[in-house]
Amino acid sequence: MEPVDEIYQQYADEVKRFLVCLTGDPDLAEELTQETFYQAIRSIRRYNGACKLSVWLCQIAKHLYYDHLKHQKRHPMLSMEELERAVPENDGMPEISLLRRDAYVSIHKAIHSLREPYREIFLLRALSELSFREIGEIFGRTENWARVTYYRAKVMLAERLEE
């Protein structure tokens, strides 16, 4: 079997292109690509060579996307922009201002309930807008590790906000 880095270098663009076509969302495609390779590493023993490695990886990617869709139906995740639209600015009505404050407090509590390194990576990406490469360098890890960890932090955060 080829070293993991070589497999990633050879197939990552193909998997991402497949996912962009499937999802229509380049950011989601990037996250799912990272998760695809993580899952592939975990289950490499099940690859029997019956199909090309790229096909096997795309199958994993497709299943992850379907899982994502199922999860989104149960746990819809709002972006900060959507949240700001859902909780409008204070239009002279104190109850709106109070709702907005409560929403932000709930979000901050959920973020701070994440365990490390998920909390820090989420904050570095969402608030500091650091690239995954920069986050990986901060932790002495790879860019891919930072992507996967950020994706998992978002999932955990969505679950906590759902509660």
Side-chain angles (χ1 to χ4, degrees), residues 9 18 25 42 64 66 105 109 111 120 138 146 154:
Q9 291 295 324
F18 169 75
D25 181 350
R42 289 184 61 202
L64 287 170
Y66 292 157
V105 167
K109 281 182 179 178
I111 290 170
E120 187 172 355
I138 288 170
K154 283 189 348 182

Side-chain angles (χ1 to χ4, degrees), residues 108-162:
H108 284 286
K109 281 182 179 178
I111 290 170
H112 287 286
S113 73
L114 295 174
R115 68 182 192 276
E116 292 299 341
Y118 300 102
R119 176 179 49 229
E120 187 172 355
I121 288 174
F122 181 83
L123 292 172
L124 288 171
R125 181 70 178 167
L127 299 180
S128 301
E129 298 180 354
L130 294 180
S131 70
F132 291 117
R133 182 177 24 174
E134 292 168 323
I135 294 170
E137 288 173 4
I138 288 170
F139 284 87
R141 307 291 289 266
T142 65
E143 179 178 347
N144 296 336
W145 175 85
R147 286 180 193 281
V148 169
T149 306
Y150 175 72
Y151 173 77
R152 290 182 181 154
K154 283 189 348 182
V155 169
M156 286 187 263
L157 187 58
E159 289 170 351
R160 285 188 171 102
L161 288 172
E162 178 73 20

